[in-house]
Amino acid sequence: MDFTSDKVWLSKTRDLSDQTRDIQYLALSYCWGGTVNMRSLKENIHHREQHGLFIADLPAVIRDAIAVTRRLKFEYLWVDSLCICQDDEQEWKNEAALMADIYGGSVFTISALSSPNANIGFLGPRPRSIVPIGSMKFSGKGEEHYDGDRPLLLFIRGIPQRLDIELTSGRLSRRGWPLQERILAPGVLHFGRDQVFWECNEDHSMSETGNSIDKSLRLIDTSNDCHNTAVNNNYPPLWHRLIQDFMRRDLSVFSDRLHAISGLAARLRKMGAITGRYVAGLWESELDVLLLWEKHQERLPSTVPVKKNTQVSTWSWAHVDRRNYIFERFTAKSTLLAPAKFKFEDDTQDMQSMCPGAVVPSCQVVLHGFVQEMNRVIIPNASQSFTAGRKTLRDYDRFWFSLLALDDDIDGLSSYYSIRMMDNAAEKIEKPYERYKIQYLVLEQADSEDLAEAEGRSVYKRIGRLSLVAHSKDGSMKPFPITPDCNTRYSDIFMDEGTPLLTNGQWREIILI
């Protein structure tokens, strides 16, 4: 980068003359806020490499980022809208898979935290709130310019916003892609509304006012999170936390979901935080737990259409467009009842699932567990779409509270099934408010004609999750285990009208698509 030129040029890293040193560059994280002007496209990208582009023509956020880069004496700056050909689908996918390397390889990332879109820069005059705190009088003696008969008004400058507030309230923090951009970078220079924050993976994070920044704001702590998976008592596990944060954010393109977190998956694999195969936002090493996601209770009118990514399997949270997904809590005392594993159609998919940054949106999941037909009455009507269905059930000696969370609107006319996934029968329940809980996936039978290698197994689609929580009037909670020898025990849970909730149970191996 020429520090005085009114132009900048696009440079291919493989064409840079000095290959003997590491290229030091900064990266930019910002909110597009719609279509960004001056994007690199097939029709202009080669011209930009040869002839450059005028800085004055670029959006304000990019102009400010160039100014910061030059002021700090760095030669290169990576900006997605300029460095990726936006209308070349294959190049876009290739570059999206390299986000862990791109942001992770930067010296640090410039975060335009205060800019709502690319056309509003982050440099310039800052708002300085002045707060009146009262008045007082002086005698006026010895004061050349003060009339003692007038009260003197006192003001203080307002306290600048803290980083935690900026990170939760800023527009950038409500967008999907910036989550991994912030986490992957070795350090982030945040330009907030009224001050600058420095954040890094070490213990040197602080604000412009000199205050240190709480390290807990970092979603990944490489010193503590490497073994924080679903098989220990830490809750919520690392991947759960990341997905729950990611799902509250917006994406302009719904189908970008898996690409926008692929860098995080690649980083976690490299850290050794999570191992094994990764498909459609779920890890095989935690698959039986991660399958128990559900959308948090939303009350949307039935006229609101649900976006679906038909390229993503129904068992993945990325299949439907909903926010605030939550995962079931799993502890060392919980019992997983349906072992799960991925089943790939070919070796290429299998190999891709082990590649850092690769996006494999779909494959089959094989489950071996206790499958039962579900009473259709518990399924909400169409007018209750996207709300959680609640019913009180009973068996011979206790009451049960059910919570049904559907992934999407369903017609209520098909046959529905459940597979028991987890319970806490091994926990010692000692207090009246502790509850015995069973978790199910709710399924709809799929047409297996188009499914290769079904091998006689029943094929299902996931449509929701069902939780059953036991309680009794006297507070007695005697947990009872589930084994193949007593698999009819939970067929004795009845609806209000006396019909069983779940019937015709048997242990079997099934396929989810």
Side-chain angles (χ1 to χ4, degrees):
M1 180 184 289
D2 185 342
F3 295 153
T4 60
S5 174
D6 60 352
K7 279 187 173 184
V8 290
W9 283 261
L10 297 184
S11 298
K12 293 182 179 179
T13 54
R14 65 176 179 270
D15 294 338
L16 295 175
S17 58
D18 187 2
Q19 296 292 336
T20 62
R21 61 173 173 81
D22 291 332
I23 301 170
Q24 291 194 326
Y25 65 94
L26 305 186
L28 175 63
S29 178
Y30 65 108
C31 180
W32 281 35
T35 301
V36 175
N37 295 329
M38 301 297 292
R39 294 178 303 154
S40 290
L41 305 171
K42 292 178 181 178
E43 64 186 21
N44 62 29
I45 192 166
H46 296 299
H47 183 273
R48 292 178 173 188
E49 292 172 2
Q50 296 175 2
H51 304 287
L53 59 167
F54 287 101
I55 297 174
D57 294 335
L58 296 172
V61 161
I62 300 178
R63 294 200 306 267
D64 285 353
I66 292 173
V68 172
T69 304
R70 287 181 166 184
R71 186 64 179 269
L72 296 176
K73 305 301 183 184
F74 286 96
E75 191 174 357
Y76 298 102
L77 172 69
W78 191 89
V79 182
D80 58 355
S81 59
L82 301 181
C83 298
I84 300 175
C85 187
Q86 296 296 317
D87 59 350
D88 186 330
E89 182 179 359
Q90 189 56 52
E91 178 178 328
W92 186 92
K93 288 182 178 180
N94 292 341
E95 293 296 311
L98 296 175
M99 289 298 106
D101 294 330
I102 291 172
Y103 281 92
S106 67
V107 178
F108 63 84
T109 289
I110 299 170
S111 168
L113 196 59
S114 62
S115 299
N117 58 63
N119 295 317
I120 299 178
F122 54 84
L123 299 179
R126 302 177 183 177
R128 297 296 191 188
S129 56
I130 304 298
V131 181
I133 61 172
S135 63
M136 58 191 307
K137 281 190 175 184
F138 293 97
S139 65
K141 295 179 180 180
E143 300 290 341
E144 182 178 354
H145 303 290
Y146 175 67
D147 181 359
D149 293 332
R150 290 186 296 107
L152 183 67
L153 299 179
L154 301 178
F155 297 85
I156 61 171
R157 200 186 93 182
I159 300 174
Q161 284 192 345
R162 304 191 313 268
L163 178 60
D164 57 343
I165 297 176
E166 294 257 24
L167 286 175
T168 55
S169 62
R171 178 68 180 273
L172 186 65
S173 301
R174 298 197 296 269
R175 303 298 299 174
W177 285 93
L179 174 66
Q180 70 171 9
E181 294 167 2
R182 174 191 165 207
I183 293 174
L184 295 173
V188 183
L189 188 62
H190 297 282
F191 285 84
R193 185 180 65 88
D194 52 13
Q195 67 172 316
V196 177
F197 305 90
W198 170 253
E199 178 186 23
C200 69
N201 289 327
E202 306 297 332
D203 293 326
H204 306 300
S205 303
M206 65 175 53
S207 66
E208 183 181 331
T209 56
N211 296 322
S212 61
I213 296 173
D214 188 351
K215 196 175 181 180
S216 65
L217 293 175
R218 293 293 292 181
L219 294 179
I220 291 183
D221 178 358
T222 55
S223 63
N224 295 325
D225 278 333
C226 285
H227 304 289
N228 185 8
T229 64
V231 296
N232 61 28
N233 288 322
N234 293 317
Y235 184 82
L238 175 57
W239 190 247
H240 295 201
R241 298 203 312 271
L242 293 173
I243 294 302
Q244 288 173 186
D245 190 317
F246 176 74
M247 291 305 299
R248 68 176 179 81
R249 298 165 178 255
D250 297 319
L251 283 171
S252 299
V253 181
F254 169 51
S255 58
D256 285 356
R257 261 187 178 181
L258 294 176
H259 295 283
I261 60 165
S262 63
L264 290 176
R267 169 61 61 85
L268 293 177
R269 188 193 300 278
K270 184 176 181 180
M271 288 167 50
I274 307 179
T275 59
R277 298 187 289 189
Y278 171 79
V279 177
L282 281 72
W283 295 87
E284 189 173 43
S285 58
E286 303 177 0
L287 186 57
D288 36 13
V289 180
L290 290 173
L291 286 171
L292 286 170
W293 56 267
E294 72 174 49
K295 62 180 182 58
H296 196 53
Q297 299 176 28
E298 294 180 281
R299 299 191 177 277
L300 300 177
S302 58
T303 55
V304 176
V306 176
K307 294 180 183 177
K308 290 184 180 179
N309 189 342
T310 56
Q311 302 301 313
V312 178
S313 301
T314 63
W315 45 260
S316 170
W317 51 265
H319 176 69
V320 292
D321 184 16
R322 282 289 173 249
R323 288 191 184 186
N324 299 326
Y325 281 64
I326 57 176
F327 293 89
E328 178 56 29
R329 178 166 185 162
F330 174 77
T331 69
K333 295 182 179 179
S334 300
T335 303
L336 295 170
L337 305 169
K341 62 181 180 181
F342 291 137
K343 183 178 187 296
F344 298 95
E345 296 181 2
D346 52 54
D347 293 338
T348 301
Q349 272 192 332
D350 193 354
M351 293 175 61
Q352 287 178 335
S353 71
M354 294 296 292
C355 295
V359 173
V360 183
S362 179
C363 78
Q364 303 165 17
V365 167
V366 178
L367 287 168
H368 183 82
F370 193 56
V371 181
Q372 293 173 281
E373 189 168 354
M374 177 178 289
N375 193 315
R376 196 180 302 164
V377 178
I378 199 172
I379 304 294
N381 299 322
S383 61
Q384 298 173 291
S385 297
F386 317 130
T387 64
R390 300 171 182 268
K391 288 183 180 294
T392 300
L393 315 173
R394 60 180 175 82
D395 62 12
Y396 294 112
D397 55 5
R398 74 194 69 216
F399 291 93
W400 295 81
F401 174 77
S402 71
L403 178 61
L404 174 67
L406 297 177
D407 305 336
D408 189 9
D409 187 11
I410 57 178
D411 57 23
L413 301 177
S414 304
S415 296
Y416 302 108
Y417 300 84
S418 69
I419 182 168
R420 196 178 305 141
M421 297 293 294
M422 185 172 75
D423 72 7
N424 60 345
E427 294 190 31
K428 185 177 181 181
I429 300 176
E430 300 173 333
K431 301 177 182 179
Y433 57 80
E434 293 179 329
R435 298 290 180 259
Y436 176 60
K437 182 186 292 187
I438 317 171
Q439 298 290 342
Y440 301 83
L441 288 183
V442 182
L443 312 172
E444 182 179 36
Q445 196 151 21
D447 185 359
S448 61
E449 291 182 1
D450 298 327
L451 183 65
E453 300 179 4
E455 299 173 356
R457 290 171 290 197
S458 297
V459 183
Y460 297 90
K461 296 179 180 180
R462 178 199 150 118
I463 62 171
R465 190 178 97 176
L466 173 67
S467 301
L468 294 181
V469 183
H471 61 96
S472 59
K473 293 181 179 179
D474 61 2
S476 62
M477 305 292 293
K478 296 181 179 180
F480 33 89
I482 299 176
T483 66
D485 298 330
C486 60
N487 56 37
T488 60
R489 181 66 183 86
Y490 295 119
S491 296
D492 299 330
I493 302 176
F494 295 95
M495 310 286 288
D496 292 337
E497 54 272 19
T499 56
L501 168 65
L502 304 170
T503 58
N504 303 324
Q506 58 178 313
W507 290 85
R508 54 196 298 197
E509 191 170 77
I510 66 170
I511 292 177
L512 291 185
I513 60 172

